[in-house]
Amino acid sequence: MPKQTGRQNNEDSTDKLQGPSFDEIKEVAFQNVGSMLKDLQAFEQAIQNEDIAEIYRIYKGKLHEELKKTSNKNHEIDELLAQKIHDSFTQAFPFIHHEQKISPTMNYYRLGDYYRERATIGIDASTPEIFVLPNIDKEWREFAPGKRDALNKIEKEMDELDANIITAESEISNIDEQIKEIENEKTSVENTKGLFNRNKTEEEIEDLDNKLQALAEKREGWLPYIEDKSKTNKKREELMKNHHDMRLKQAVVTKEFRLIQQYFGSLKAMNQQIQDFLTAYLGSAKGGNHA
């Protein structure tokens, strides 16, 4: 096999590296770096001007990932965004107060001041998003003024428990009488069993046994109400506690709806005003300049 010369090796290597020229590569790199610098300068200018809409547009959009990490290494951008929307939000709604900081970008707020203060609204500055907390939204749906479904259900359970305790003794007495009658009937049938009516008699006995089994199961269901007082008392206590907790929740929700009515007019109006605030906040030249 002929031995390749050094010149041939160089030619082969040159062939393998064929592609964009160095000048072309340099031009693309220059443009990329220039674009990154331009984005960084625009980002710095947006921060300097407190142009919230522009900060979100650049930071959440085209800013290079490494620049994002560097600029937000210690949550500086997160804190800035959270503080700006907090200032604007509490300026627009002075009756809504900060309750708890969950993370650099997540904060919870309470509606007004009342005897059971709790967070009801969350702001996620990273998105940004303003929302009713999921557990609060669930309670508002369940215990809104005029809604008694949950209370009615537990009150019905309490009434049924009391009724069962009262009627258990008479029900068991009645069942015992039926069992006694069927057992007597079964004894009578067994005594009349003969060679020629054996099949019919066995069918009758099986039918009576089924009735006895059904009555025994029914009796078993009533027994706890008179034999295991501790169990029924515990059940009653659980129902009473649940009822008390529900009434308390309903009282809190009722108070919150009164505040919503006072400050916004209605829950629907509150949601709309908060959405309008967020739209204006993101559309403004500078965050925080609107009430």
Side-chain angles (χ1 to χ4, degrees):
M1 179 180 293
K3 187 176 181 181
Q4 288 184 328
T5 65
R7 182 178 179 181
Q8 287 176 319
N9 287 335
N10 289 338
E11 288 176 352
D12 290 343
S13 298
T14 302
D15 289 341
K16 292 178 182 177
L17 292 175
Q18 282 183 349
S21 68
F22 179 75
D23 288 339
E24 290 173 329
I25 294 173
K26 183 174 68 173
E27 179 62 25
V28 172
F30 178 78
Q31 290 176 357
N32 288 340
V33 172
S35 177
M36 289 173 60
L37 289 174
K38 184 178 179 181
D39 291 341
L40 183 58
Q41 290 170 351
F43 189 52
E44 290 175 343
Q45 188 65 40
I47 294 174
Q48 182 67 30
N49 294 338
E50 298 182 3
D51 189 339
I52 299 302
E54 187 69 2
I55 291 174
Y56 277 111
R57 187 185 71 81
I58 298 174
Y59 187 68
K60 296 298 179 183
K62 59 184 181 178
L63 192 64
H64 193 274
E65 285 300 324
E66 287 303 318
L67 293 178
K68 289 181 182 180
K69 292 178 182 178
T70 302
S71 62
N72 198 36
K73 184 177 181 181
N74 296 309
H75 299 290
E76 294 88 347
I77 304 303
D78 291 339
E79 297 286 356
L80 169 66
L81 295 175
Q83 187 63 52
K84 291 304 295 182
I85 196 169
H86 165 83
D87 292 344
S88 295
F89 187 67
T90 53
Q91 181 183 353
F93 307 107
F95 44 83
I96 296 180
H97 308 284
H98 184 261
E99 178 69 19
Q100 184 181 6
K101 181 176 182 178
I102 305 300
S103 73
T105 58
M106 181 72 73
N107 286 276
Y108 288 174
Y109 295 78
R110 69 179 185 274
L111 183 63
D113 290 298
Y114 48 98
Y115 76 104
R116 283 184 65 87
E117 297 177 355
R118 64 174 184 173
T120 55
I121 295 172
I123 296 183
D124 182 358
S126 66
T127 312
E129 180 186 9
I130 304 174
F131 56 94
V132 176
L133 301 182
N135 62 308
I136 300 299
D137 182 63
K138 181 177 181 295
E139 288 186 14
W140 283 1
R141 293 175 185 275
E142 190 172 358
F143 299 107
K147 288 193 174 182
R148 281 187 51 89
D149 293 349
L151 279 171
N152 288 342
K153 181 180 178 182
I154 199 166
E155 286 171 0
K156 182 180 179 182
E157 290 183 46
M158 293 170 68
D159 290 343
E160 288 177 351
L161 178 63
D162 290 338
N164 288 338
I165 292 172
I166 294 171
T167 60
E169 189 170 341
S170 61
E171 285 291 332
I172 288 177
S173 177
N174 183 44
I175 290 171
D176 287 343
E177 286 294 325
Q178 293 180 59
I179 289 174
K180 185 177 180 180
E181 290 177 5
I182 293 174
E183 285 178 341
N184 290 337
E185 185 179 353
K186 180 181 176 182
T187 300
S188 176
V189 170
E190 287 175 337
N191 290 336
T192 60
K193 182 169 62 176
L195 179 64
F196 299 104
N197 65 347
R198 178 179 298 274
N199 290 337
K200 182 179 179 181
T201 302
E202 288 178 351
E203 289 177 1
E204 291 179 2
I205 292 174
E206 182 179 359
D207 181 57
L208 293 172
D209 284 338
N210 289 336
K211 290 180 179 180
L212 287 172
Q213 178 65 29
L215 287 170
E217 291 175 358
K218 188 176 180 181
R219 188 179 192 278
E220 192 69 23
W222 285 106
L223 275 177
Y225 295 105
I226 60 173
E227 289 188 350
D228 193 350
K229 295 291 185 181
S230 62
K231 185 176 180 179
T232 54
N233 288 338
K234 183 179 179 181
K235 179 65 176 177
R236 183 190 287 108
E237 289 173 2
E238 289 176 356
L239 290 172
M240 290 177 67
K241 183 180 183 303
N242 290 340
H243 187 263
H244 176 268
D245 291 344
M246 285 188 181
R247 284 177 60 86
L248 183 59
K249 285 182 180 179
Q250 189 168 55
V252 172
V253 170
T254 298
K255 180 63 176 178
E256 288 168 344
F257 268 80
R258 286 175 184 164
L259 292 172
I260 291 171
Q261 181 72 29
Q262 175 185 343
Y263 295 131
F264 297 100
S266 68
L267 180 60
K268 182 178 180 180
M270 183 190 82
N271 292 332
Q272 186 60 54
Q273 288 183 42
I274 289 177
Q275 183 57 48
D276 290 344
F277 160 81
L278 193 57
T279 300
Y281 177 75
L282 291 176
S284 63
K286 284 190 177 182
N289 285 348
H290 50 274

